[in-house]
Amino acid sequence: MPANPMFWQKEVETLERPALEALQLQRLQETLRRVERVPFYRGKFLAAGFKPEELKSVDGLRRLPFTTAADLRENYPDGLLAVPREEVLRLHTSSGTTGKPKALFFSRRDVDNAAELLARAFCMTGVTRRDVFQNMMSYGLFTGGLMMHYGAEKIGCMVIPSGPGPSERQLLLMQDFGTTVIHVTPSYAFYFADFLEKKGVDPHKDLSLRKAFVGAEPYTQETCGKIEAALGLDVYNSYGLTEMNGPGVAFECEHKSGLHVWEDNFVLEIINPATGDPVKEGETGELVLTSINREAMPLLRYRTRDLTSLIPGACACGRTHRRIRRITGRSDDMFIVRGVNIFPQQIERVLMAMPQIGRNYLIQLDGLDDLTVKVELSPPAFDGQVGHLEELQNQVAEKLRAELWVRPKVDLVAAGSLPVTEGKAKRVIDKRSL
Ligand SMILES: [Zn+2]
């Protein structure tokens, strides 16, 4: 056990910035030498007139072009592998909405290192070896389940590898083994809260839950508050992607004021998605990551498509790794209605701040350019009077108009009537005939 239970690797987590930046540069130089063996990167270096040995600062990386999801697909299955095949210990894939999956390889050191980063996350949220961790995330090709499992084992708490379903069994495990920490997607957290309600189980009194790691889908602060209230626990936001180890790229510490990005493992940039230029500190843009501590498949300047911003200044916890704000959406989730750019999270933020509104919603685009938001009522909100319902409908539409600059049609529906999912929620249905 480390001396301070809130730190797993205190020295590197609190490394002074100049030393941290020197470590980044050294690891970046090693990474560049490693990827020179990959024809894809060798070609990019040549085209940009870039010589890895001439890199004198981390910023020098900006001379290279970005790596995109399309590059990963075009080099499927193993075009970006930087080590001999026999050094690969694990394969994970990340499926997109179209075409081939992205294949990601891990060496033994890569798997171990990913687990170390997650052990840091468990420690900094106050999880100890006395906790019981029920991992309700999918195990398999998706990194979310397995990697968190390895991280939890590092710190030595008891792990229940339950995977995502069924809810009946999840509850039984929680009751019989005193689960204190869970790992879920936001949509499954709500689904499970509804299940508990139907079973007459009050998580505040009847279960031992105290913390949840919630990730794999972007969600708002308002959703976080609703999950905390519904399950009676403390929610910590996690961020990661399969292309960069899986979960564990960035986590909230006990102060919950942004997510620390482990900068000894990743070089982070935030760019304007349209121009590719860096945004000013604090401005929202697309997160671009370079893995600098990976053997099997490092990626340079990978465009995550996730939108966030940097939080200036130091965190009260003493960690020197910079923080990003919660992901506000994906640059490719954006849809356009009547010429206005809209992100699903803007709609979610408005809905989740209204107590009369339940937990599920659906955005539908149809006709020429019509935006309909279907929203579940929270069960006590409906008193049976149609007039009240119309009034609420108008209120929701008006609040959405103020946020989006487009007034949507609002359909209030009964609690539990919209489709629920145990995996990633599909929030936007586009049926437009444009
Ligand atoms: Zn902190």
Side-chain angles (χ1 to χ4, degrees):
M1 279 289 283
N4 182 335
M6 298 300 275
F7 286 94
W8 178 249
Q9 292 167 320
K10 187 167 186 186
E11 197 183 324
V12 70
E13 289 176 51
T14 59
L15 206 56
E16 293 297 332
R17 290 296 307 179
L20 181 55
E21 281 156 25
L23 178 62
Q24 280 194 312
L25 180 60
Q26 180 212 321
R27 286 185 171 170
L28 179 58
Q29 285 163 336
E30 283 165 16
T31 300
L32 292 174
R33 281 198 292 277
R34 193 170 292 131
V35 299
E36 249 190 323
R37 290 175 221 146
V38 179
F40 170 80
Y41 279 119
R42 202 165 53 237
K44 288 203 168 194
F45 291 178
L46 270 174
F50 180 88
K51 293 200 173 68
E53 61 276 16
E54 287 171 6
L55 184 95
K56 295 290 176 277
S57 75
V58 172
D59 287 349
L61 188 62
R62 290 196 198 140
R63 285 179 46 211
L64 284 172
F66 297 111
T67 305
T68 63
D71 293 329
L72 263 69
R73 292 204 176 89
E74 278 158 25
N75 288 281
Y76 179 88
D78 60 0
L80 293 174
L81 184 61
V83 295
R85 199 62 177 266
E86 59 270 24
E87 285 179 33
V88 176
L89 190 72
R90 174 105 58 86
L91 166 75
H92 279 287
T93 66
S94 171
S95 56
T97 41
T98 51
K100 289 177 195 162
K102 291 168 268 180
L104 280 301
F105 300 96
F106 295 77
S107 69
R108 182 176 297 280
R109 208 195 78 183
D110 292 338
V111 170
D112 191 58
N113 190 45
E116 293 285 343
L117 298 187
L118 287 161
R120 289 184 197 175
F122 277 102
C123 278
M124 75 177 173
T125 53
V127 178
T128 72
R129 59 187 309 173
R130 285 176 293 281
D131 277 296
V132 178
F133 173 58
Q134 191 162 327
N135 195 5
M136 298 158 81
M137 208 60 102
S138 166
Y139 279 69
L141 286 168
F142 169 61
T143 41
L146 269 172
M147 288 302 190
M148 280 293 272
H149 181 108
Y150 276 55
E153 284 189 348
K154 281 260 175 214
I155 70 158
C157 59
M158 182 169 105
V159 184
I160 307 178
S162 65
S167 300
E168 200 71 59
R169 190 178 63 198
Q170 303 280 5
L171 174 59
L172 196 76
L173 290 164
M174 280 177 193
Q175 287 170 325
D176 293 349
F177 300 100
T179 302
T180 55
V181 183
I182 57 172
H183 179 210
V184 275
T185 61
S187 38
Y188 190 69
F190 280 146
Y191 179 84
F192 190 67
D194 285 339
F195 167 80
L196 292 182
E197 214 171 286
K198 280 186 204 122
K199 297 289 287 186
V201 175
D202 178 357
H204 298 80
K205 294 202 304 267
D206 307 332
L207 299 174
S208 313
L209 298 177
R210 59 185 197 100
K211 288 175 201 296
F213 293 109
V214 178
E217 297 164 4
Y219 59 105
T220 61
Q221 188 63 44
E222 289 73 16
T223 293
C224 168
K226 281 207 168 185
I227 296 173
E228 289 186 330
L231 289 175
L233 42 65
D234 221 1
V235 167
Y236 290 90
N237 195 354
S238 69
Y239 172 73
L241 60 162
T242 304
E243 294 88 321
M244 298 283 143
N245 293 359
V249 172
F251 260 83
E252 279 181 331
C253 67
E254 78 270 28
H255 295 283
K256 293 192 186 184
S257 56
L259 294 86
H260 289 280
V261 177
W262 299 124
E263 291 186 86
D264 60 324
N265 278 260
F266 307 100
V267 169
L268 74 100
E269 297 172 72
I270 297 183
I271 62 157
N272 175 329
T275 65
D277 295 329
V279 299
K280 289 199 198 80
E281 192 181 39
E283 260 177 36
T284 298
E286 182 184 324
L287 182 65
V288 170
L289 294 168
T290 298
S291 37
I292 53 172
N293 200 20
R294 285 271 267 132
E295 288 181 335
M297 195 171 156
L299 296 175
L300 305 181
R301 306 194 80 202
Y302 184 70
R303 291 193 61 161
T304 65
R305 303 285 165 190
D306 293 318
L307 299 172
T308 183
S309 54
L310 263 181
I311 299 178
C315 183
C317 71
R319 287 176 185 82
T320 49
H321 300 241
R322 285 179 297 172
R323 290 162 298 158
I324 53 170
R325 293 191 171 83
R326 67 173 55 245
I327 304 298
T328 53
R330 286 178 57 80
S331 56
D332 45 9
D333 268 356
M334 191 188 78
F335 55 91
I336 301 175
V337 174
R338 290 168 235 159
V340 180
N341 298 348
I342 298 176
F343 287 99
Q345 283 72 24
Q346 288 176 280
I347 294 176
E348 180 178 317
R349 198 158 56 226
V350 169
L351 298 177
M352 294 301 148
M354 298 183 71
Q356 309 94 317
I357 298 303
R359 293 159 188 161
N360 209 352
Y361 68 94
L362 196 66
I363 299 162
Q364 201 172 302
L365 303 160
D366 44 20
L368 272 178
D369 217 1
D370 294 324
L371 170 63
T372 304
V373 180
K374 294 187 175 185
V375 203
E376 284 186 6
L377 283 165
S378 87
F382 185 50
D383 58 9
Q385 295 195 40
V386 177
H388 289 175
L389 213 54
E390 275 172 16
E391 202 178 298
L392 179 60
Q393 209 151 279
N394 269 326
Q395 215 181 326
V396 177
E398 213 23 61
K399 278 189 193 276
L400 286 171
R401 191 201 56 78
E403 166 73 29
L404 310 174
W405 299 93
V406 168
R407 189 183 162 102
K409 182 172 174 291
V410 172
D411 269 356
L412 294 176
V413 299
S417 65
L418 290 177
V420 282
T421 154
E422 293 189 13
K424 288 195 179 198
K426 185 163 172 50
R427 297 293 190 194
V428 183
I429 296 174
D430 198 340
K431 295 180 176 170
R432 283 180 294 190
S433 48
L434 288 175

